[in-house]
Amino acid sequence: MSAPVVVGIETSCDETGIGIVVGNELRANALASSVTEQARFGGVVPEVASRAHLEAMTPTIERACAEAGLHLSDVDAIAVTAGPGLVGSLLVGVATAKALGAALDRPVYGVNHLAAHVVVDELEHGPLPESVIGLLVSGGHTSLIAVGPQGIDPLGQTLDDAAGEAFDKVARLLDLPFPGGPAIDACARDGDPNAIDFPRGLAGAGLDFSFSGLKTAVLRWLTAQQGGSVRRADVAASFQEAVADVLSAKAIEACRATGVDHLVVGGGVAANSRLRALVTERAGAAGVHVRIPRPGLCTDNGAMVAALGARLVRAGQPPSPAAFPATSTMDVAQTVR
Ligand code: KG4
Ligand code: ZN
């Protein structure tokens, strides 16, 4: 059989993503975002997001098909994010996938958004090695996982805020727009990362993370400066340095502890320029091969879902049962429903 055509549908948060892959080749990655509607609320309002998905779905599917030069009838399988995420948003994607599956008589795979953030790298850097450490850093999750032939082993996770959540909250403290990650990344370019010595949560203490103390430290620091002048770029750069320092140190430690010498970094925060540079530098020093998808594949998109779907099809995995649910929580070790 020639390489399967897989369409991936992503609606877990505020991006409507439709990706189309043929084998490992990315053919289309159409995206519609409700982020500008969300920005005035300073965060994602679930009801606004689900309505936006509903409006964007059909035009985004049409755009993806046009980009790929394919018709829906050419599709061999459908993959959709089944969780974790906002349940009303997920439902729009899952209902669309099931409708397409029924109309086209094709299998449907309800997949884990977090696994998709790791597997998407196959579209850019080719098949993943059999064993790899994944550092997953998004708006809702921060995890270290070991992906091996037996499945996925969770190694560590955040005990409080996710890394992206910390970026979004600190951006608000600095009067920077939502989403905070790209805004802090840009603002930090003019700042001194060593200006303020912000705490590194749980540094040297295992593979779990903590970012709420860092967020509070930024708030305290800003409060203490009241009346004085604050170099916002220095605060942004010093905060970003603290996050990138802990994430990269623990990712390399996970490789050392498990003896696995390949590391993949995925999720929206993997788009961060300082994190990318520091992980690459430290991996090089530790003899670890690091793979980070280009920024456009790190933040939520449909291609990542299609990439994971294609991998499941190749592995001969059975599709999800017809009644598979959309759920706000999904264990990081569970790839497919
Ligand atoms: O993976 P993602 O697009 O959505 C979720 O699954 O949550 O991640 C979104 C998160 C947001 O918190 C956003 O601020 C952060 O990723 N982010 C960044 C950057 N781009 C997006 N954080 C730091 N630096 C960036 N350049
Ligand atoms: Zn995500």
Side-chain angles (χ1 to χ4, degrees), residues 10 12-15 84 113-114 117 137-141 162-168 178-186 189 240 266-275 295 298-301 304:
E10 158 60 35
S12 68
C13 193
D14 57 349
E15 319 279 352
H113 180 85
L114 303 173
H117 267 310
V137 276
S138 71
H141 292 83
E165 193 180 352
F167 270 95
D168 296 335
F178 176 83
I184 288 185
D185 200 340
R189 289 209 174 109
Q240 177 174 270
V269 181
N272 184 263
S273 60
R274 182 57 186 147
L275 177 62
C298 290
T299 45
D300 289 350
N301 63 81
M304 65 192 229

Side-chain angles (χ1 to χ4, degrees), residues 275-288:
L275 177 62
R276 298 171 77 91
L278 199 53
V279 169
T280 306
E281 179 190 318
R282 288 181 171 171
V288 169

Side-chain angles (χ1 to χ4, degrees), residues 3-74:
V5 180
V6 180
V7 61
I9 304 176
E10 158 60 35
T11 62
S12 68
C13 193
D14 57 349
E15 319 279 352
T16 312
I18 304 294
I20 300 177
V21 302
V22 181
N24 258 343
E25 190 200 334
L26 177 61
R27 294 285 291 271
N29 194 13
L31 204 63
S33 177
S34 62
V35 72
T36 47
E37 289 157 68
Q38 311 288 356
R40 63 195 175 104
F41 301 108
V44 177
V45 180
E47 186 59 23
V48 173
S50 11
R51 281 168 191 264
H53 285 307
L54 210 48
E55 283 169 18
M57 185 56 73
T58 304
T60 312
I61 292 176
E62 284 168 353
R63 222 158 17 95
C65 287
E67 212 178 288
L70 291 167
H71 291 111
L72 277 176
S73 55
D74 299 322

Side-chain angles (χ1 to χ4, degrees), residues 11-12 80-92 94 98 110-114 141 323-331 334 336-337:
T11 62
S12 68
V80 60
T81 300
L86 304 170
V87 77
S89 291
L90 289 166
L91 272 172
V92 177
V94 168
K98 289 182 179 181
V111 306
N112 189 324
H113 180 85
L114 303 173
H141 292 83
F324 78 88
T327 47
S328 56
T329 56
M330 194 162 166
D331 194 284
Q334 190 188 3
V336 63
R337 282 273 173 216

Side-chain angles (χ1 to χ4, degrees), residues 197-215:
D197 188 18
F198 285 131
R200 272 64 169 158
L202 299 179
L207 297 177
D208 283 335
F209 302 92
S210 169
F211 294 106
S212 74
L214 171 59
K215 173 193 65 192

